[in-house]
Every structure is written in structure tokens, then in C-alpha cells.
Amino acid sequence: RYDIAEVLDVYENEDGFMTVEVAMTRAGVFPYQQADGSVRMEAKLPEDVFDKATIESANGSPVTDRHPFELVTVENYDEYMKGTTHLQAKREGNLLVNKETIFDGNLAAMIRAGKKQQVSIGFETEIVEESGTYDGQEYDVKQTDIRVNHLAHVEQGRAGEDVKARLDSAD
């Protein structure tokens, strides 16, 4: 599964490493394309997004340039990992926020240029066959036991413009 968020604030040290405050994901209802081509509306409810285990899983996660086609593991991290999230994941309103440090100069340049400011979590989840309404939007199923595997920088994410790197504190 993938989700989208935003870069919030940025700092670069003398070695060129970029540290960014980032909104990793948010509670909401999102469209997910199924294997048969249909679209299903899936809810990430606040009690699941801001569950203690979900927040902890956002700490120390690999940062990637786009989503890999597999989960990031100790066997393949060197192929995908361009940085790491910090150990400061927390709730800010409807957003799950953390900091990340980017080690890769090419990805840092793309973020600075505004081409990859949006982010998307790669995660595992349990799907509960339960429909309902959240924040005025109907959903077909809900996601529970959300566990972040990685945070990918992308051109455009599912959760919209609120989920991205914050390059300017005034954003």
C-alpha cells in the first residue's frame, strides 16, 4: 500500500545532508485501484493512523526515491534507501509528522526543485470489510494495523498536497 504526504521544513548541514520535516500521512478516505481495475475507497481512520504502534513504525523508516516494487528490508536497503526518518513521529492535527534526513544529493536536489516534495508511505495493513463514512466521505473498507515500511518521495501522492515536505515554515 502507498499513501501521500508533504515536506514541511528543511535544513541542510555543511556536508550537504538535508533534514526535512515531513507530513507522512493523514487520516482520510483514499481511492485504491484493485487488481481487476476497479477502485475501492479505503479509510484510514484516526484511531488507526495515530495508534501507538503505527506511530512507532514511522520512526527509523527508510526513505526512498519513489516506491520500490517490494518492501524495503535488510537484504535490499542498499538498493533503495536514500535517507531515513527520525525517531520523532507524532500527531499534528490530522497529520502524522516526523523528520527525515536525505543522504542522496540527487533526491535532495529534486526536493529543492519542487519535483519530489510530496511523499507517500509504503506500508502493510489489515483490510477490514466494514463500510462507513468518515469526514463526509463514504468508504468501502478500512485499514487497521498500519505499519510503515518506508517513506517514498514522489511527484504526486494519493493523500494530496497536505502530505509533503515542508520547505518553508510558512506553508
Side-chain angles (χ1 to χ4, degrees):
R1 295 264 185 237
Y2 307 115
D3 197 4
I4 304 301
E6 75 173 300
V7 173
L8 305 175
D9 201 2
V10 65
Y11 163 79
E12 289 185 61
N13 72 11
E14 64 237 21
D15 298 319
F17 296 128
M18 174 187 277
T19 297
V20 177
E21 185 175 280
V22 62
M24 295 179 66
T25 192
R26 66 181 175 89
V29 177
F30 307 99
Y32 285 86
Q33 186 168 359
Q34 305 304 296
D36 65 3
S38 65
V39 174
R40 179 170 69 181
M41 301 304 289
E42 298 186 14
K44 277 189 178 63
L45 301 177
E47 59 266 26
D48 298 306
V49 173
F50 306 118
D51 174 75
K52 181 180 179 184
T54 300
I55 291 172
E56 287 176 1
S57 75
N59 288 324
S61 297
V63 174
T64 64
D65 183 358
R66 298 189 178 181
H67 285 290
F69 292 105
E70 59 188 333
L71 293 175
V72 180
T73 67
V74 296
E75 287 83 23
N76 64 20
Y77 79 92
D78 55 341
E79 182 178 351
Y80 301 121
M81 193 167 168
K82 306 295 182 184
T84 186
T85 62
H86 290 209
L87 303 177
Q88 302 169 336
K90 62 184 176 184
R91 180 179 186 169
E92 281 188 15
N94 200 37
L95 299 171
L96 177 59
V97 175
N98 201 346
K99 289 188 177 183
E100 65 178 346
T101 296
I102 306 296
F103 308 136
D104 183 81
N106 292 328
L107 179 56
M110 295 290 280
I111 294 167
R112 271 193 304 281
K115 295 180 180 175
K116 292 204 176 165
Q117 287 184 5
Q118 290 193 17
V119 295
S120 172
I121 59 170
F123 62 101
E124 296 181 288
T125 187
E126 294 294 322
I127 300 296
V128 176
E129 299 291 332
E130 176 183 304
S131 61
T133 303
Y134 172 71
D135 202 24
Q137 292 185 287
E138 293 184 18
Y139 60 86
D140 303 308
V141 297
K142 70 177 188 172
Q143 299 175 2
T144 64
D145 298 320
I146 300 164
R147 300 299 177 263
V148 176
N149 172 262
H150 63 274
L151 179 67
H153 277 267
V154 295
E155 288 86 3
Q156 184 175 5
R158 180 187 324 272
E161 300 223 356
D162 288 340
V163 182
K164 65 181 181 180
R166 293 181 186 164
L167 296 181
D168 183 345
S169 297
D171 283 352

